Amino acid sequence: MKQAEHMPAMSEDALVEVLSGSLYPGAARNSVVMVLAYCKAAQLDPMLKPVHIVPIWSKAAGKMVDTVMPGVGLYRIQAARTGQYAGISEPEYGPPVSLKLGNVDVTFPEWCRVTVKRQMSNGLVAEYTANERWLENYATASRDSAAPNAMWKKRSYAQLAKCAEAQALRKAFPEVGSVPTADEMEGKVFEEGPREVASQRQPEQPIEAEPLETYPDAKLQENLPKWRAAVEAGRSSPEHLIATVSSKYTLTQEQTDTINQLKPIEGEAA
């Protein structure tokens, strides 16, 4: 089977078996096939494991969904291939913080700062800094728990450093992509439903608007005198007032009738 230079010289079935048994043990076959499709589209060697399979909870599907995410190693490779990668700083950490998360005592750095350097075409070296906070990045042990998973509890500094480095690499080399890495998305939730490869697109569900707050009667009584003056002067109308208030509040039928009574009586001088 003829393969591109970035793909190993073997059949897809054989390659899936190799990846399933070595780099992605326990992963579903369809998930490994997604990895191959990702690597083929991006011209990557799947044997270098440039991407990861991350189970993410999907609200729409109501279950965990395997998603292919790039690793920070992929961003390092792509940055180096530009020929302009000029190095990276050692991670700087904020003060240690101790909290109880989900009945688990955890100590972690408040933040981590990483700077990536890029040599520009004019010879100058530009620096791009990312500052990431632990509480905004850590992965939970489960969907219903606030406790960190084993990796984020054991390697709280190193995991946050990878997230900061990925952000700095995206700032310095926007051409490498904007997709979050596996470390950044682990334990997160899909707000939108998953989309399967080569499947018919499902119709989007209409977004239901949140109910508006009922207009306070006290506020209505306060505004009635000036509304009446505006209607009598011809600067407004009950219909306009009702439409304006209804854009932010819910009017009761009694309140609507009260505003409609502001209309001048026919034959009355304005």
Side-chain angles (χ1 to χ4, degrees):
M1 180 177 179
K2 186 176 180 181
Q3 301 282 335
E5 292 183 0
H6 61 276
M7 297 290 287
M10 62 176 67
S11 67
E12 180 175 303
D13 287 341
L15 189 53
V16 169
E17 292 298 325
V18 171
L19 293 175
S20 298
S22 57
L23 300 182
Y24 303 99
R29 179 181 175 83
N30 287 345
S31 300
V32 178
V33 171
M34 283 197 302
V35 168
L36 289 180
Y38 185 108
C39 291
K40 183 177 181 180
Q43 298 185 347
L44 300 169
D45 184 352
M47 296 302 294
L48 297 178
K49 199 178 182 180
V51 295
H52 301 271
I53 299 174
V54 184
I56 299 180
W57 177 260
S58 169
K59 286 185 177 179
K63 63 179 181 180
M64 300 297 289
V65 177
D66 279 351
T67 309
V68 178
M69 295 283 177
V72 67
L74 174 57
Y75 285 163
R76 293 169 184 160
I77 293 171
Q78 292 176 322
R81 286 177 177 174
T82 65
Q84 296 180 310
Y85 182 60
I88 184 171
S89 69
E90 284 294 319
E92 299 177 51
Y93 296 102
V97 177
S98 294
L99 285 179
K100 183 181 287 292
L101 299 172
N103 295 323
V104 176
D105 292 321
V106 187
T107 299
F108 54 87
E110 182 181 1
W111 50 263
C112 178
R113 181 183 300 120
V114 170
T115 298
V116 169
K117 301 176 182 180
R118 179 170 186 170
Q119 186 171 17
M120 312 306 288
S121 56
N122 59 5
L124 297 178
V125 175
E127 296 185 348
Y128 300 83
T129 300
N131 194 320
E132 292 293 319
R133 296 187 175 275
W134 194 91
L135 285 174
E136 295 177 354
N137 285 277
Y138 85 98
T140 58
S142 66
R143 180 171 62 93
D144 301 317
S145 173
N149 65 12
M151 185 64 73
W152 276 86
K153 182 180 179 182
K154 179 181 179 181
R155 306 182 75 247
S156 59
Y157 283 76
Q159 289 297 103
L160 183 58
K162 287 195 289 185
C163 294
E165 181 182 355
Q167 185 72 284
L169 284 168
R170 285 193 294 266
K171 285 184 175 183
F173 299 91
E175 63 269 35
V176 306
S178 59
V179 179
T181 63
D183 295 293
E184 294 172 286
M185 285 302 295
E186 185 180 5
K188 303 302 187 297
V189 175
F190 268 133
E191 296 296 336
E192 298 180 356
R195 300 179 183 178
E196 298 181 358
V197 178
S199 64
Q200 186 176 2
R201 183 174 179 178
Q202 300 297 320
E204 297 182 0
Q205 297 296 325
I207 300 175
E208 297 182 2
E210 294 184 1
L212 298 176
E213 180 184 352
T214 302
Y215 193 65
D217 286 327
K219 197 168 186 178
L220 176 65
Q221 296 302 321
E222 178 184 348
N223 287 324
L224 279 177
K226 61 181 179 182
W227 287 352
R228 181 177 290 105
V231 171
E232 292 177 352
R235 298 193 304 270
S236 186
S237 66
E239 292 79 10
H240 176 72
L241 293 171
I242 291 172
T244 301
V245 176
S246 297
S247 65
K248 297 181 179 179
Y249 297 91
T250 298
L251 287 170
T252 65
Q253 185 60 49
E254 184 178 353
Q255 290 174 329
T256 302
D257 294 341
T258 299
I259 297 175
N260 276 323
Q261 291 174 4
L262 298 176
K263 185 179 298 184
I265 300 175
E266 189 173 343
E268 181 180 338

